[in-house]
Amino acid sequence: MNILIKNIQTVLPNGVETCSVYISGGVIAAVSDEPVGFCADKTIDGAGKLLIPGLVNAHTHAPMTIFRNCADDLLFNDWLFGRIFPLEEKLASEDSYWGTMLAIMEMLSSGTTSFIDMYHPEEGSRAAEETGIRTVQTRGLLGGADDPEAGEWRLRTALEEIEKWKGRDNISFMLAPHAPYTCDEGYQREIAAEAKRLNLPINTHLSESLAENETIRERYGCTPTELFDRNGLLTDTTVAAHCVHLTDSDIEILTNRGVHVVTNPVSNLKLANGVAPVMKLLNAGVKVALGTDGAASNNSLNMFKDLSMLTLIHKGVNHNAQAVTAREGFDIATKYGAAAMGIDNLGEIKPGYLADLVILNLDCPNMQPVNDPIAAIAYSASGSEVETVIVGGKILMENRVFANIDSERVVYEVNKICERIGTR
């Protein structure tokens, strides 16, 4: 389908301009100047609206929408080992599908067009194929010498899922050692070898909590970053979520290896894990992206919420009003998230880039007057302004109506799951 978005304020790589955007074959064919022979199948009037590249949620656990608001105000280890892991053991595969569908509803309705997930790629891929959202799917790999069969099963299952679902335009894959404390050294090296053999990126958690750092120091005599580095898991295609408790030498390793760090400010605050040293990372040249984490710890998948937190909290902790500016935060939530996904032509509005776009309605009290559209995105928007969402040139939501999702059915199924597993 050829789509013309006409006369709309547009966030471009070098600023904001009112222009027209032409979409053809799933990509942006042109900005401003109409391509020769272009004939629009659909025209969208951009008056009073703002066009942005779709937001990229670079770290989440989509099915954990099922656990929203059921494990709150707990210490991190109590939250994870005492509440979340036991609930996860009660989930059936179909439950993950419905939880992911609810997550996709929430993400699309708040402007997210792509996400990197760590959970169950079979159900996540099925949901992505049905809805059209763009995703990187990864299965969390936990294993070690104390239970080698479980670790081997998880890795084998992940490879089978990749083989089954590969080749889709909107779905790609990484291997995901869950965390330094859930994978022993032998398992880490095995995953690193498989990733190298198959040319697959790595997705992981790293230095999320002080308890993690203490555990790894006691067990291996080093930091989590040093452990992963010596076992071959840190490369320029590695995506490391959280990275809250880093030493200066850790940051040097991440810089030298070219690792993509995904900061999760709301989740890290909610679980009292702290504030990631984002300014240190940026100043060192580390590539930083933004994620929500799962709805069990955020409790939202609304990237506008995390973008606002990102651009505010570092000003406070650094006593610097220019720390993570609105434009820097916006880039972190878009093009640097796309880089973490490993997609070169995503996250900006320019010819040849994938047409993953979001239209915001500016006719809202909280967005007026629109003196600076990028500042409005970072500091004023709530996500409710999202009106239309396009992924790969396909309209997935228009006037806040989903094209491919039965929202009533999804909510019904998720509530049935909650009743069965006892989240209430």
Side-chain angles (χ1 to χ4, degrees):
M1 175 187 285
N2 288 349
I3 301 173
L4 166 60
I5 307 175
K6 185 173 63 175
N7 298 327
I8 189 168
Q9 279 197 84
T10 304
V11 178
L12 299 170
N14 296 317
V16 180
E17 297 179 15
T18 297
C19 57
S20 294
V21 175
Y22 300 84
I23 299 168
S24 182
V27 302
I28 299 167
V31 176
S32 294
D33 298 325
E34 181 175 342
V36 175
F38 183 88
C39 182
D41 300 301
K42 182 177 181 65
T43 299
I44 299 173
D45 184 0
K49 304 183 193 305
L50 178 68
L51 182 68
I52 66 171
L55 304 178
V56 179
N57 188 344
H59 179 72
T60 192
H61 308 276
M64 294 180 81
T65 53
I66 294 167
F67 307 139
R68 194 195 313 269
N69 305 325
C70 79
D72 301 306
D73 306 322
L74 299 172
L75 299 177
F76 178 71
N77 280 354
D78 294 336
W79 172 83
L80 183 61
F81 296 105
R83 184 62 168 158
I84 295 302
F85 277 176
L87 283 171
E88 287 183 320
E89 291 177 0
K90 300 179 182 180
L91 290 181
S93 59
E94 189 74 0
D95 299 341
S96 290
Y97 164 78
W98 290 113
T100 302
M101 290 294 286
L102 180 59
I104 291 171
M105 284 170 54
E106 182 179 4
M107 287 189 281
L108 289 176
S109 67
S110 54
T112 291
T113 55
S114 303
F115 68 105
I116 300 177
D117 200 48
M118 185 191 291
Y119 221 83
H120 297 156
E122 173 68 27
E123 291 73 28
S125 298
R126 174 185 162 199
E129 184 174 56
E130 291 178 6
T131 61
I133 199 169
R134 196 176 304 281
T135 185
V136 176
Q137 287 290 310
T138 70
R139 175 175 286 274
L141 302 173
L142 297 76
D146 58 336
D147 191 2
E149 291 185 4
E152 291 304 313
W153 176 85
R154 292 186 182 99
L155 180 55
R156 184 173 64 253
T157 300
L159 296 177
E160 290 170 353
E161 289 164 334
I162 292 169
E163 184 63 28
K164 176 179 177 180
W165 289 96
K166 69 181 183 181
R168 272 74 170 180
D169 290 339
N170 63 319
I171 306 172
S172 55
F173 298 91
M174 299 177 178
L175 290 184
H178 174 263
Y181 57 90
T182 53
C183 300
D184 71 10
E185 282 204 273
Y187 197 48
Q188 291 174 31
R189 289 192 291 269
E190 182 179 3
I191 295 168
E194 281 297 298
K196 185 175 182 180
R197 181 179 72 85
L198 297 170
N199 195 29
L200 287 171
I202 293 291
N203 179 35
T204 192
H205 302 92
L206 186 63
S207 286
E208 182 175 3
S209 69
L210 284 172
E212 173 187 332
N213 281 25
E214 292 166 1
T215 296
I216 298 306
R217 178 70 67 181
E218 291 172 3
R219 192 178 296 171
Y220 300 108
C222 62
T223 69
T225 299
E226 291 167 342
L227 178 68
F228 268 6
D229 189 44
R230 78 187 188 197
N231 290 322
L233 288 171
L234 300 184
T235 74
D236 60 0
T237 61
T238 297
V239 179
H242 301 298
C243 294
V244 177
H245 300 285
L246 300 173
T247 65
D248 288 343
S249 62
D250 287 340
I251 293 175
E252 185 176 359
I253 290 170
L254 295 172
T255 303
N256 292 338
R257 296 291 182 260
V259 172
H260 300 264
V261 167
V262 184
T263 186
N264 302 260
V266 174
S267 175
N268 293 154
L269 288 175
K270 173 78 183 304
L271 294 174
N273 283 325
V275 178
V278 167
M279 290 306 299
K280 277 190 173 183
L281 290 164
L282 291 174
N283 290 337
V286 176
K287 298 168 287 189
V288 178
L290 181 65
T292 61
D293 208 358
S297 64
N298 188 307
N299 300 23
S300 164
L301 302 185
N302 183 341
M303 282 282 287
F304 283 97
K305 177 180 175 182
D306 275 84
L307 173 57
S308 178
M309 183 63 73
L310 172 70
T311 52
L312 293 175
I313 194 167
H314 297 289
K315 292 173 170 56
V317 298
N318 291 282
H319 306 287
N320 179 1
Q322 294 180 316
V324 190
T325 65
R327 183 73 213 206
E328 286 174 326
F330 179 79
D331 289 343
I332 287 169
T334 53
K335 69 177 184 179
Y336 295 126
M341 293 184 73
I343 305 176
D344 295 332
N345 61 333
L346 181 70
E348 295 183 276
I349 299 177
K350 55 186 183 182
Y353 272 51
L354 293 168
D356 290 15
L357 304 170
V358 172
I359 299 174
L360 306 180
N361 180 5
L362 297 177
D363 188 19
C364 309
N366 60 300
M367 298 293 278
Q368 292 293 329
V370 189
N371 294 312
D372 181 338
I374 295 176
I377 293 167
Y379 303 126
S380 301
S382 67
S384 62
E385 306 84 5
V386 173
E387 185 176 88
T388 297
V389 176
I390 300 169
V391 177
K394 299 176 181 176
I395 297 175
L396 304 191
M397 187 180 81
E398 186 171 18
N399 297 319
R400 299 198 65 80
V401 177
F402 298 113
N404 306 313
I405 304 173
D406 182 344
S407 56
E408 291 185 1
R409 170 78 186 279
V410 172
V411 172
Y412 170 77
E413 295 291 349
V414 168
N415 276 283
K416 275 177 48 180
I417 294 165
C418 292
E419 291 172 5
R420 191 187 80 243
I421 68 174
T423 60
R424 298 168 181 167

